[in-house]
Amino acid sequence: LVIVFGAIASGKKSSFKDVVIKRCQTFLKEHSNMARENDCEIIWKAFEQAYIGRDPCDIPPEAYDPLINSVKQDVVCNTMLFWSKTKDMVQAFTDKRDCLVILEGTLLGALFDGLTWCSKNESQETFTTDCPSWSYCQNNSVRSFWNRASSNFAATACGNVSAMLNGSLEAPFSSTSTFGSIEVKMLDHSKVNSLTVLLVTKETDTTTCDNPSFHSLQNTLDTKIAYKCRKVPYSKVEGCISDLEIPCSDCL
Ligand code: ZNA
């Protein structure tokens, strides 16, 4: 208590490391079956070595391999959900339901979602401001992390998987998105049976499952994996976000 008060009195904000360690401990409290296999300090060290002391535009996705290997989490087949341009809705939907799991609902994704970090050549520090933006350079510390984490999430997927896409867009599937350029390609036909697009559509939207962008999705998808697409009314998803009594099977 004295230390906490000292931190408040001196106006010192909690460090980036404190935020990540706190998220890690909270996640392991909520998923107590994972606590034995995961060590938050070891995960932090593996994370840090990817970018500390390096040019923030020169972090290849592979720099995060030790981090990926330090996190132990079993995947549950038939529950994996990908998304593109639907982040807020998907996070609200999956937050309190276990029927579908997104990357941000796994330990790895939960630790770093919404955060920004980078270092510099010769530095031992983590900075959370003035880091390269998403598109400023390809191999920036944050984007490479999400590319590597997304690639791993998709590579471990199994059974029937789904993707929530935005039916308010003229082209809901984009081959340059993380979903289109990494996740679809990493699905392994020896484990994944089908990919179902859940096209979330508002009443006034005109985009359907016949949208031409889904041809490029099917061309990218391994031919051994079945492709399906279904329109899901936005109002139905909203209803399921606000009323947890509605079973998942009635939501999608
Ligand atoms: N949680 C994340 O921040 C994140 C998650 C970032 C990138 C990828 N993912 C994976 S891939 C997630 O689990 C989904 O399955 C996949 C979504 O990636 P996407 O297909 O590229 O979808 P999107 O909506 O275009 O972008 C996803 C997120 O990436 C956004 O919400 C932003 O946080 C970030 N992002 C993408 N493009 C930009 C960007 N941020 C800033 N500028 C951009 N141009």
Side-chain angles (χ1 to χ4, degrees):
L1 191 71
V2 174
I3 295 167
V4 171
F5 180 73
I8 296 168
S10 67
K12 191 179 188 317
K13 61 169 178 51
S14 63
S15 73
F16 181 78
K17 178 180 176 178
D18 295 341
V19 171
V20 173
I21 295 286
K22 175 54 77 190
R23 284 187 182 195
C24 183
Q25 290 166 344
T26 304
F27 190 99
L28 293 178
K29 272 201 191 87
E30 288 166 0
H31 302 77
S32 51
N33 59 318
M34 290 174 58
R36 200 176 50 87
E37 284 192 302
N38 289 284
D39 181 322
C40 296
E41 273 301 324
I42 289 177
I43 292 170
W44 170 260
K45 286 286 164 225
F47 168 68
E48 225 186 15
Q49 67 73 41
Y51 66 92
I52 287 287
R54 299 210 213 176
D55 177 342
C57 277
D58 194 18
I59 314 295
E62 303 75 47
Y64 290 101
D65 285 358
L67 169 66
I68 300 282
N69 294 323
S70 74
V71 176
K72 307 273 182 276
Q73 181 161 21
D74 291 332
V75 297
V76 181
C77 293
N78 307 315
T79 63
M80 282 147 136
L81 176 66
F82 304 100
W83 55 267
S84 200
K85 274 85 190 175
T86 49
K87 188 179 193 198
D88 293 345
M89 186 191 61
V90 166
Q91 286 195 332
F93 181 83
T94 56
D95 213 17
K96 293 179 178 62
R97 292 179 183 269
D98 293 331
C99 53
L100 290 176
V101 178
I102 53 172
L103 172 58
E104 293 75 10
T106 68
L107 176 55
L108 183 66
L111 291 182
F112 304 106
D113 189 33
L115 303 182
T116 299
W117 64 89
C118 65
S119 185
K120 279 184 202 157
N121 264 326
E122 318 274 309
S123 170
Q124 287 302 307
E125 270 184 273
T126 298
F127 306 106
T128 54
T129 56
D130 302 316
C131 293
S133 69
W134 188 267
S135 333
Y136 178 76
C137 48
Q138 179 79 24
N139 278 348
N140 69 70
S141 27
V142 175
R143 185 167 172 167
S144 286
F145 164 78
W146 286 108
N147 284 351
R148 185 64 190 86
S150 302
S151 160
N152 181 64
F153 185 62
T156 58
C158 48
N160 302 309
V161 300
S162 20
M164 250 189 212
L165 303 185
N166 191 332
S168 301
L169 299 176
E170 226 164 285
F173 176 77
S174 155
S175 45
T176 58
S177 67
T178 316
F179 174 64
S181 63
I182 298 177
E183 291 177 327
V184 173
K185 290 179 181 159
M186 290 306 293
L187 297 175
D188 175 357
H189 67 76
S190 71
K191 294 186 293 186
V192 177
N193 303 118
S194 67
L195 169 68
T196 301
V197 167
L198 303 169
L199 186 62
V200 183
T201 348
K202 296 182 174 166
E203 267 160 33
T204 50
D205 290 344
T206 52
T207 302
T208 68
C209 282
D210 299 326
N211 187 276
S213 74
F214 296 133
H215 295 147
S216 14
L217 169 47
Q218 283 168 272
N219 287 333
T220 311
L221 188 66
D222 189 312
T223 50
K224 296 194 184 79
I225 300 175
Y227 166 79
K228 300 172 200 182
C229 178
R230 195 148 44 77
K231 272 215 305 193
V232 177
Y234 183 80
S235 56
K236 200 162 154 177
V237 180
E238 267 193 321
C240 286
I241 289 171
S242 55
D243 185 0
L244 291 171
E245 303 274 292
I246 306 171
C248 269
S249 52
D250 291 346
C251 295
L252 305 167

